[in-house]
Amino acid sequence: MKFSVYQISRQGGRERNEDRMGYAYTRESGLFVLADGMGGHPEGAMAAQLALQTLSAYFQKAANPTVREVPEFLSSALMAAHHQIIRYAAEKGMLDTPRTTLVAAVMERGHIHWVHCGDSRLYVVRDNELLTRTRDHSYMEQQAHLGRNTEHINRNILFTCLGSPAKPVYDLSGPVQLMQGDRVLLCSDGLWGTVEDDEIVNELSTRPLEQAVPDLVETALRRGGQRCDNVTVLAMEWETVDEYQTTRVSTEDIEDGVFASTIQSGVPDPTIEDLDDAAIEKSIAEINAAIARTAAARNA
């Protein structure tokens, strides 16, 4: 398995950059993950980092050297990340939970599957055209899909994310068979908020990743001005063995059982219990009870 990869994250006009991204791979499988910690809630960067670390730990456990059931893996890993964030908030006695969006893809056996929650996006570009992209879990995108006017809707209003006191809504997509030259781009809303889809497709189609991706990021920052959101992009180009010409990432020399990752470790390997809905709901109930107690005390 061989592919080119390029990643970049730039802080915009925000106080801090709470976006996180990374990828991991074995000899025959690759995981690409991007999370955007949500402002307006505490420790968005921690939520994003926990999400990445949890997916990386699950991937390391599941990819031997491929993931047996990719959709089930993505669902389980996403819910485990949600649980890790909820548990982190409960253990710290936080009255509000850290929250993050998430988009993640697994590439193996010449196919790609992906999952997303929130408004961080995945694009697949083939032969100078947009093959597909994720649909945001936002009120604006929901109304646009129904053909309604979205001019006065705030694009930042999401109806789901990881870490909220409700079970996340997420979409699984794929598999899509990868072809030579396919480009896959994961990004935070800092990119697509100011750069149109057709511009993203054009840049990815006509220039090498190492030129197209940083230029797209610079365009987003310039258009966003002083109040620009953080802009984070992780992009990959699929290349068949026979036509492989770059030297970005090759897994041919990796031995079975070996795992490589750009994602910082720190979360213990999750256990099966981490996936239990009852445990997640218990943590949520504890946080909601703490919020209710605080509200009652203020009104007393």
Side-chain angles (χ1 to χ4, degrees):
M1 185 175 72
K2 297 180 179 181
F3 56 91
S4 301
V5 63
Y6 193 94
Q7 59 182 11
I8 184 172
S9 185
R10 291 281 305 278
Q11 183 171 343
R14 303 298 174 88
E15 183 178 348
R16 60 184 65 88
N17 188 350
E18 296 186 315
D19 296 353
R20 296 292 184 270
M21 65 181 169
Y23 60 95
Y25 54 91
T26 65
R27 179 180 175 85
E28 298 180 30
S29 185
L31 170 73
F32 303 83
V33 192
L34 185 145
D36 181 355
M38 296 176 63
H41 303 278
E43 299 192 44
M46 177 58 72
Q49 188 64 32
L50 284 170
L52 260 68
Q53 289 173 343
T54 303
L55 264 75
S56 178
Y58 260 73
F59 181 73
Q60 184 173 5
K61 185 177 180 179
N64 295 309
T66 59
V67 177
R68 179 170 296 179
E69 297 291 341
V70 177
E72 288 79 359
F73 161 78
L74 288 170
S75 297
S76 297
L78 180 143
M79 288 305 301
H82 174 66
H83 187 197
Q84 291 282 10
I85 297 167
I86 291 291
R87 185 166 62 186
Y88 173 84
E91 289 176 350
K92 293 194 67 175
M94 302 174 71
L95 298 182
D96 189 15
T97 53
R99 307 182 192 193
T100 185
T101 67
L102 179 75
V103 58
V106 169
M107 176 185 68
E108 62 178 41
R109 303 184 185 98
H111 291 79
I112 186 168
H113 298 75
W114 61 93
V115 66
H116 82 286
C117 177
D119 64 354
S120 290
R121 290 182 178 178
L122 179 143
Y123 293 78
V124 181
V125 176
R126 174 180 297 168
D127 294 333
N128 302 326
E129 295 183 357
L130 178 62
L131 185 65
T132 186
R133 79 156 171 87
T134 53
R135 194 172 77 200
D136 308 331
H137 295 124
S138 67
Y139 289 105
M140 185 178 76
E141 186 108 330
Q142 185 183 62
Q143 295 302 304
H145 185 68
L146 295 173
R148 298 173 182 170
N149 182 20
T150 61
E151 184 177 350
H152 302 295
I153 298 178
N154 185 342
R155 71 173 178 84
N156 295 315
I157 300 177
L158 306 182
F159 58 81
T160 191
C161 62
L162 300 190
S164 65
K167 188 174 181 179
V169 175
Y170 59 89
D171 288 331
L172 284 164
S173 303
V176 168
Q177 184 172 0
L178 292 166
M179 298 179 61
Q180 164 68 20
D182 281 357
R183 304 282 181 90
V184 179
L185 181 142
L186 287 68
C187 67
S188 62
D189 64 331
L191 179 71
W192 63 258
T194 56
V195 182
E196 298 295 331
D197 286 357
D198 58 352
E199 295 178 280
I200 293 173
V201 171
N202 182 65
E203 282 290 321
L204 287 179
S205 300
T206 58
R207 307 177 69 194
L209 291 184
E210 58 267 28
Q211 297 176 13
V213 174
D215 282 357
L216 283 169
V217 170
E218 289 300 324
T219 298
L221 290 169
R222 184 176 65 254
R223 292 180 183 174
Q226 294 182 347
R227 301 183 65 182
C228 181
D229 200 351
N230 304 310
V231 185
T232 300
V233 177
L234 172 59
M236 181 275 294
E237 178 178 354
W238 175 258
E239 297 174 303
T240 62
V241 173
D242 291 340
E243 299 183 44
Y244 182 76
Q245 295 180 356
T246 72
T247 56
R248 289 293 181 187
V249 175
S250 172
T251 66
E252 287 189 339
D253 297 327
I254 296 179
E255 298 178 2
D256 288 343
V258 175
F259 167 84
S261 177
T262 66
I263 301 171
Q264 182 181 5
S265 62
V267 173
D269 285 347
T271 63
I272 294 301
E273 286 74 21
D274 286 334
L275 301 179
D276 183 59
D277 283 347
I280 296 173
E281 296 303 324
K282 180 181 178 182
S283 297
I284 291 172
E286 290 173 353
I287 292 171
N288 286 339
I291 294 171
R293 288 194 299 271
T294 300
R298 288 175 179 172
N299 295 330

mmCIF file of all heavy atoms in Angstrom, residues 241-258:
data_model
loop_
_atom_site.group_PDB
_atom_site.id
_atom_site.type_symbol
_atom_site.label_atom_id
_atom_site.label_comp_id
_atom_site.label_asym_id
_atom_site.label_seq_id
_atom_site.Cartn_x
_atom_site.Cartn_y
_atom_site.Cartn_z
ATOM 1 N N VAL A 241 0.535 0.440 -6.924
ATOM 2 C CA VAL A 241 1.933 0.008 -6.826
ATOM 3 C C VAL A 241 2.673 0.243 -8.136
ATOM 4 O O VAL A 241 3.787 0.754 -8.161
ATOM 5 C CB VAL A 241 2.009 -1.477 -6.423
ATOM 6 C CG1 VAL A 241 3.444 -1.978 -6.477
ATOM 7 C CG2 VAL A 241 1.428 -1.673 -5.027
ATOM 8 N N ASP A 242 2.052 -0.104 -9.259
ATOM 9 C CA ASP A 242 2.734 -0.012 -10.551
ATOM 10 C C ASP A 242 3.053 1.422 -10.947
ATOM 11 O O ASP A 242 4.036 1.677 -11.637
ATOM 12 C CB ASP A 242 1.866 -0.651 -11.647
ATOM 13 C CG ASP A 242 1.764 -2.156 -11.475
ATOM 14 O OD1 ASP A 242 2.636 -2.716 -10.778
ATOM 15 O OD2 ASP A 242 0.820 -2.745 -12.029
ATOM 16 N N GLU A 243 2.223 2.378 -10.526
ATOM 17 C CA GLU A 243 2.408 3.749 -10.970
ATOM 18 C C GLU A 243 2.929 4.655 -9.866
ATOM 19 O O GLU A 243 2.954 5.864 -10.012
ATOM 20 C CB GLU A 243 1.080 4.298 -11.508
ATOM 21 C CG GLU A 243 0.564 3.520 -12.704
ATOM 22 C CD GLU A 243 -0.700 4.137 -13.261
ATOM 23 O OE1 GLU A 243 -0.751 5.375 -13.397
ATOM 24 O OE2 GLU A 243 -1.643 3.388 -13.545
ATOM 25 N N TYR A 244 3.329 4.057 -8.774
ATOM 26 C CA TYR A 244 3.792 4.846 -7.633
ATOM 27 C C TYR A 244 5.085 5.571 -7.962
ATOM 28 O O TYR A 244 6.041 4.972 -8.445
ATOM 29 C CB TYR A 244 3.999 3.905 -6.436
ATOM 30 C CG TYR A 244 4.424 4.613 -5.176
ATOM 31 C CD1 TYR A 244 3.508 5.331 -4.428
ATOM 32 C CD2 TYR A 244 5.742 4.551 -4.743
ATOM 33 C CE1 TYR A 244 3.893 5.970 -3.271
ATOM 34 C CE2 TYR A 244 6.135 5.183 -3.590
ATOM 35 C CZ TYR A 244 5.206 5.892 -2.854
ATOM 36 O OH TYR A 244 5.583 6.529 -1.701
ATOM 37 N N GLN A 245 5.118 6.869 -7.750
ATOM 38 C CA GLN A 245 6.293 7.648 -8.129
ATOM 39 C C GLN A 245 6.830 8.523 -7.003
ATOM 40 O O GLN A 245 7.969 8.954 -7.066
ATOM 41 C CB GLN A 245 5.954 8.536 -9.337
ATOM 42 C CG GLN A 245 5.622 7.721 -10.586
ATOM 43 C CD GLN A 245 5.282 8.621 -11.755
ATOM 44 O OE1 GLN A 245 5.219 9.839 -11.622
ATOM 45 N NE2 GLN A 245 5.059 8.026 -12.914
ATOM 46 N N THR A 246 6.036 8.820 -5.987
ATOM 47 C CA THR A 246 6.541 9.663 -4.914
ATOM 48 C C THR A 246 7.122 8.809 -3.811
ATOM 49 O O THR A 246 7.098 7.590 -3.847
ATOM 50 C CB THR A 246 5.416 10.540 -4.336
ATOM 51 O OG1 THR A 246 4.541 9.701 -3.573
ATOM 52 C CG2 THR A 246 4.631 11.231 -5.419
ATOM 53 N N THR A 247 7.666 9.443 -2.818
ATOM 54 C CA THR A 247 8.292 8.720 -1.706
ATOM 55 C C THR A 247 7.694 9.156 -0.381
ATOM 56 O O THR A 247 8.366 9.154 0.644
ATOM 57 C CB THR A 247 9.809 8.977 -1.681
ATOM 58 O OG1 THR A 247 10.051 10.386 -1.606
ATOM 59 C CG2 THR A 247 10.469 8.404 -2.908
ATOM 60 N N ARG A 248 6.432 9.526 -0.392
ATOM 61 C CA ARG A 248 5.790 9.986 0.845
ATOM 62 C C ARG A 248 5.666 8.865 1.868
ATOM 63 O O ARG A 248 6.321 8.853 2.871
ATOM 64 C CB ARG A 248 4.409 10.572 0.544
ATOM 65 C CG ARG A 248 4.452 11.915 -0.171
ATOM 66 C CD ARG A 248 5.016 12.992 0.722
ATOM 67 N NE ARG A 248 5.030 14.275 0.039
ATOM 68 C CZ ARG A 248 5.592 15.360 0.522
ATOM 69 N NH1 ARG A 248 6.221 15.317 1.664
ATOM 70 N NH2 ARG A 248 5.561 16.486 -0.149
ATOM 71 N N VAL A 249 4.773 7.928 1.633
ATOM 72 C CA VAL A 249 4.557 6.828 2.573
ATOM 73 C C VAL A 249 4.432 5.536 1.788
ATOM 74 O O VAL A 249 3.635 5.433 0.865
ATOM 75 C CB VAL A 249 3.275 7.033 3.416
ATOM 76 C CG1 VAL A 249 3.030 5.812 4.298
ATOM 77 C CG2 VAL A 249 3.375 8.293 4.261
ATOM 78 N N SER A 250 5.233 4.565 2.137
ATOM 79 C CA SER A 250 5.114 3.226 1.574
ATOM 80 C C SER A 250 5.090 2.244 2.729
ATOM 81 O O SER A 250 5.944 2.307 3.616
ATOM 82 C CB SER A 250 6.288 2.912 0.641
ATOM 83 O OG SER A 250 6.253 1.554 0.255
ATOM 84 N N THR A 251 4.125 1.334 2.704
ATOM 85 C CA THR A 251 4.020 0.359 3.783
ATOM 86 C C THR A 251 4.567 -1.009 3.378
ATOM 87 O O THR A 251 4.453 -1.965 4.132
ATOM 88 C CB THR A 251 2.546 0.193 4.217
ATOM 89 O OG1 THR A 251 1.795 -0.379 3.146
ATOM 90 C CG2 THR A 251 1.941 1.537 4.584
ATOM 91 N N GLU A 252 5.159 -1.099 2.192
ATOM 92 C CA GLU A 252 5.607 -2.396 1.694
ATOM 93 C C GLU A 252 6.682 -3.020 2.558
ATOM 94 O O GLU A 252 6.785 -4.239 2.661
ATOM 95 C CB GLU A 252 6.117 -2.254 0.257
ATOM 96 C CG GLU A 252 5.001 -2.049 -0.765
ATOM 97 C CD GLU A 252 5.515 -2.135 -2.184
ATOM 98 O OE1 GLU A 252 6.726 -1.950 -2.388
ATOM 99 O OE2 GLU A 252 4.708 -2.373 -3.092
ATOM 100 N N ASP A 253 7.499 -2.165 3.197
ATOM 101 C CA ASP A 253 8.606 -2.691 3.994
ATOM 102 C C ASP A 253 8.239 -2.868 5.462
ATOM 103 O O ASP A 253 9.072 -3.259 6.276
ATOM 104 C CB ASP A 253 9.822 -1.757 3.882
ATOM 105 C CG ASP A 253 10.344 -1.674 2.452
ATOM 106 O OD1 ASP A 253 10.244 -2.694 1.740
ATOM 107 O OD2 ASP A 253 10.843 -0.605 2.059
ATOM 108 N N ILE A 254 6.988 -2.548 5.818
ATOM 109 C CA ILE A 254 6.559 -2.703 7.206
ATOM 110 C C ILE A 254 6.233 -4.174 7.463
ATOM 111 O O ILE A 254 5.510 -4.808 6.706
ATOM 112 C CB ILE A 254 5.319 -1.836 7.505
ATOM 113 C CG1 ILE A 254 5.675 -0.353 7.356
ATOM 114 C CG2 ILE A 254 4.789 -2.100 8.904
ATOM 115 C CD1 ILE A 254 4.515 0.570 7.607
ATOM 116 N N GLU A 255 6.748 -4.692 8.545
ATOM 117 C CA GLU A 255 6.471 -6.077 8.897
ATOM 118 C C GLU A 255 5.072 -6.213 9.483
ATOM 119 O O GLU A 255 4.509 -5.261 10.025
ATOM 120 C CB GLU A 255 7.508 -6.579 9.911
ATOM 121 C CG GLU A 255 8.936 -6.573 9.385
ATOM 122 C CD GLU A 255 9.927 -7.041 10.436
ATOM 123 O OE1 GLU A 255 9.472 -7.388 11.541
ATOM 124 O OE2 GLU A 255 11.125 -7.059 10.147
ATOM 125 N N ASP A 256 4.503 -7.392 9.361
ATOM 126 C CA ASP A 256 3.210 -7.653 9.975
ATOM 127 C C ASP A 256 3.294 -7.420 11.479
ATOM 128 O O ASP A 256 4.277 -7.801 12.126
ATOM 129 C CB ASP A 256 2.765 -9.098 9.702
ATOM 130 C CG ASP A 256 2.358 -9.308 8.251
ATOM 131 O OD1 ASP A 256 2.123 -8.300 7.564
ATOM 132 O OD2 ASP A 256 2.280 -10.473 7.826
ATOM 133 N N GLY A 257 2.251 -6.793 12.029
ATOM 134 C CA GLY A 257 2.226 -6.516 13.461
ATOM 135 C C GLY A 257 2.832 -5.187 13.835
ATOM 136 O O GLY A 257 2.757 -4.779 14.997
ATOM 137 N N VAL A 258 3.449 -4.486 12.872
ATOM 138 C CA VAL A 258 4.061 -3.179 13.157
ATOM 139 C C VAL A 258 3.042 -2.077 12.896
ATOM 140 O O VAL A 258 2.302 -2.106 11.910
ATOM 141 C CB VAL A 258 5.321 -2.970 12.300
ATOM 142 C CG1 VAL A 258 5.879 -1.561 12.500
ATOM 143 C CG2 VAL A 258 6.369 -4.009 12.648
#
